[in-house]
Amino acid sequence: MSSLGGKVAIVTGGTGGIGKGIALKLAARGATVVINGRSALKAESILAEIQQAGGAADFLPGDVRSKSDMDALAAETARRYGGVDIVVANAGGNDDEARSPQVRGPFANIDLARVAALVAENTVAKLFPAQAALPYMRQRGSGSIIFVTSEGGRVPTRGQTAVSTFAGGLIRASKVIAKELAGDRIRVNCVCVTIVRDSPSWEAVFGEDSKVSEQHRKQYEKIVASCPLGVAGPQDIGQVVAFLASDESAYLTGATISPTGGLTIH
């Protein structure tokens, strides 16, 4: 398929997990994919995989929590490849902190100062790359921004005050941004995920070095057992993102899509 031929895409957090699945699908559809992360070493294998399949990919470093890093990422992408058409804001801010019992746990027990700091950090981690790319999308006359966030922003789950706050806020913000940018033909949509195999979150719960709380693990085990269509893999999420990035969804903006395999229905 070449439905994204000639397009230039930035994928934050693209060196593994969901981001890797997204990068692979965008490249398979013909996009030039610029993978952003903090480790060039981690990017090597996915760059090789994309290139061996005949796709085009590059790596540019940067911390999604830094406005200057994201401005530099967008500028360098445009300099190397002529512009930016797609931004997939996939990377979070601080996943380890998000799993901490002081942040993820019963409301009565969590540290609200740490929760507030995490909410701010994870929110700008999504918004900085999108804002940085806007001038280059406007130069192209169109664009697609896809925020990848948690289904916890749509469905209340015990112990997820922090997740619900930043993911729910991002979902609402995406609709505001979609309204603002529709006149520029820049579409903005959200993809909300739950458990995804072969991702850092999956390894944090089910890996050999798991350090999450017992409540956290039991929630994940319940989700795995309850998902009618099974647990998604990174490339399953990548398929949804590639659709939203392509002209196949040219009339879709301000939407929130939950590829949760029937676990949640909206």
Side-chain angles (χ1 to χ4, degrees), residues 14-249:
T15 57
I18 295 171
K20 177 180 177 180
I22 292 168
L24 289 170
K25 288 299 180 181
L26 294 179
R29 287 191 173 216
T32 296
V33 180
V34 175
I35 295 168
N36 164 254
R38 286 177 283 179
S39 171
L41 185 63
K42 287 179 68 175
E44 286 180 1
S45 62
I46 180 173
L47 293 178
E49 188 172 346
I50 289 172
Q51 290 159 2
Q52 287 169 6
D58 200 352
F59 171 79
L60 287 173
D63 188 333
V64 289
R65 298 168 295 184
S66 165
K67 183 180 188 302
S68 60
D69 278 13
M70 293 300 98
D71 287 345
L73 168 65
E76 183 61 15
T77 298
R79 187 190 71 79
R80 292 188 186 187
Y81 300 106
V84 179
D85 302 288
I86 301 157
V87 172
V88 183
N90 166 69
N94 189 334
D95 289 342
D96 289 337
E97 176 72 348
R99 298 183 193 107
S100 165
Q102 287 75 40
V103 172
R104 180 178 177 131
F107 176 73
N109 302 333
I110 54 177
D111 183 333
L112 290 178
R114 287 175 64 173
V115 168
L118 181 80
V119 168
E121 192 173 37
N122 280 20
T123 300
V124 296
K126 304 292 186 180
L127 297 180
F128 277 156
Q131 188 183 61
L134 280 182
Y136 309 102
M137 289 184 167
R138 282 174 166 148
Q139 288 174 7
R140 301 280 247 197
S142 65
S144 177
I145 296 169
I146 299 116
F147 294 113
V148 181
T149 192
S150 170
E151 181 70 354
R154 303 190 84 183
V155 177
T157 304
R158 291 176 182 270
Q160 289 197 9
T161 296
V163 171
S164 179
T165 302
F166 73 71
L170 180 68
I171 291 166
R172 299 310 301 175
S174 73
K175 297 179 185 302
V176 174
I177 300 166
K179 270 207 162 188
E180 290 186 6
L181 299 182
D184 295 305
R185 302 192 67 80
I186 297 171
R187 299 182 297 106
V188 183
N189 294 290
C190 266
V191 175
C192 295
V193 302
T194 180
I195 296 177
V196 177
R197 288 181 284 102
D198 303 322
S199 68
S201 294
W202 178 270
E203 288 301 316
V205 175
F206 297 117
E208 292 182 2
D209 297 326
S210 174
K211 297 176 183 177
V212 301
S213 69
E214 189 62 24
Q215 180 193 24
H216 191 162
R217 182 176 291 103
K218 285 181 177 178
Q219 282 182 340
Y220 268 51
E221 290 172 347
K222 182 177 179 180
I223 290 171
V224 170
S226 302
C227 191
L229 299 182
V231 177
Q235 292 200 50
D236 295 316
I237 308 304
Q239 291 274 38
V240 177
V241 171
F243 164 71
L244 291 173
S246 75
D247 288 342
E248 294 163 20
S249 62

